[in-house]
Amino acid sequence: MKNLLNDYPVTDTTIQLSDREIQLTIVDDPDRFLDKLSREDSEGRLFLPYWIYLWESAIGLARHISELDKVLSDKRVLEIGCGIGVAGITACQAGAKVIFTDFEHDALLFAKHNAQQNGIDSAIFIQMDWNALCFQDKFDIILASDVIYEEQNWEPILSLLQNLLNPDGVAFFSEPNRKNADGFFKCIRDNGFTYKKSICSISLNQKTTRINIYKIEHAYSKF
């Protein structure tokens, strides 16, 4: 974490789950890094450093899966767009074998540090682009919080689900009740998946946000 401390001011915070807490190191005052870390690639795609924020969707997903300990135990879990690692850490604590992935290298460094300070030393951390999947094996569970905010990501995420989710597996996605989310879930429904939605409220920074949690399965799954 020493290299990160040279690049980012950090602060510590605690996230309360149903029966335990998660200790997190996060970027302090992330707004001032938004412009500094934003960039475009050679094809003009804009990359914004959303990983530097602690998002309500990540907390909502973590609280949801913290109630599924028996479901997660010994399962192979992939978290995509892991950011600082909140949901994946929760899955690790439930006994899952988790691979954390993110496009941003620094996000993975924060996720690894946060995992270690919560007593997790067996997780794997891999830098991955959704457009270039780097796995051959399939996963029992896929986790994602707040990854469907841009329509350009829908097809890569759909492909990821089709290629990496076990036939009897399940994915849990969370998002903060965005209007365009319906389009993504219509897309996956039209391509062989079903889903069920539940709702929770997360209070963070003196603001309460409605979070939608989606349980996604292959249409023929009996999970």
Side-chain angles (χ1 to χ4, degrees):
M1 193 65 182
K2 290 182 178 179
N3 292 335
L4 287 180
L5 290 175
N6 294 333
D7 296 329
Y8 303 99
V10 297
T11 186
D12 294 324
T13 191
T14 300
I15 300 300
Q16 183 66 50
L17 303 180
S18 57
D19 60 350
R20 58 188 181 274
E21 295 179 338
I22 293 179
Q23 305 298 321
L24 297 173
T25 298
I26 61 176
V27 176
D28 192 20
D29 192 16
D31 286 347
R32 66 192 181 99
F33 287 91
L34 190 59
D35 290 336
K36 178 181 178 181
L37 298 178
S38 299
R39 67 187 190 279
E40 287 188 5
D41 67 9
S42 59
E43 298 178 356
R45 292 183 300 175
L46 180 63
F47 292 89
L48 297 171
Y50 290 135
W51 68 266
I52 61 177
Y53 294 89
L54 173 60
W55 293 104
E56 292 91 344
S57 292
I59 298 172
L61 181 59
R63 288 181 179 169
H64 183 79
I65 63 177
S66 71
E67 300 174 356
L68 303 174
D69 284 6
K70 293 181 180 179
V71 173
L72 290 164
S73 181
D74 292 324
K75 294 294 191 298
R76 296 189 71 244
V77 174
L78 175 70
E79 183 177 12
I80 63 171
C82 71
I84 59 176
V86 182
I89 289 170
T90 306
C92 285
Q93 291 177 332
K97 302 170 184 176
V98 180
I99 296 179
F100 295 73
T101 66
D102 201 285
F103 185 77
E104 298 290 348
H105 179 259
D106 283 3
L108 292 168
L109 294 179
F110 269 89
K112 185 174 183 178
H113 173 79
N114 285 326
Q116 290 174 340
Q117 70 174 329
N118 285 280
I120 297 161
D121 56 14
S122 60
I124 298 171
F125 301 82
I126 296 177
Q127 190 170 9
M128 184 180 77
D129 184 343
W130 296 331
N131 294 285
L133 302 181
C134 55
F135 300 105
Q136 298 296 323
D137 297 335
K138 294 184 182 293
F139 294 85
D140 303 307
I141 297 171
I142 294 176
L143 303 175
S145 57
D146 226 347
V147 301
I148 58 171
Y149 49 85
E150 293 182 337
E151 189 172 347
Q152 67 183 12
N153 293 328
W154 293 359
E155 285 297 328
I157 293 172
L158 169 62
S159 178
L160 184 149
L161 290 171
Q162 291 171 326
N163 286 284
L164 299 185
L165 186 63
N166 267 337
D168 60 349
V170 60
F172 293 100
F173 279 34
S174 64
E175 59 85 25
N177 197 36
R178 287 195 174 95
K179 292 181 179 179
N180 72 339
D182 289 345
F184 172 76
F185 290 100
K186 181 182 185 302
C187 175
I188 65 167
R189 188 177 61 240
D190 291 344
N191 286 274
F193 291 91
T194 62
Y195 66 89
K196 295 180 180 178
K197 182 174 76 171
S198 58
I199 299 169
C200 66
S201 295
I202 299 298
S203 296
L204 182 67
N205 299 326
Q206 300 181 330
K207 181 182 71 172
T208 299
T209 303
R210 168 180 157 173
I211 302 299
N212 296 329
I213 309 290
Y214 295 86
K215 179 183 179 181
I216 303 167
E217 301 170 281
H218 292 283
Y220 50 78
S221 174
K222 295 182 180 180
F223 188 93

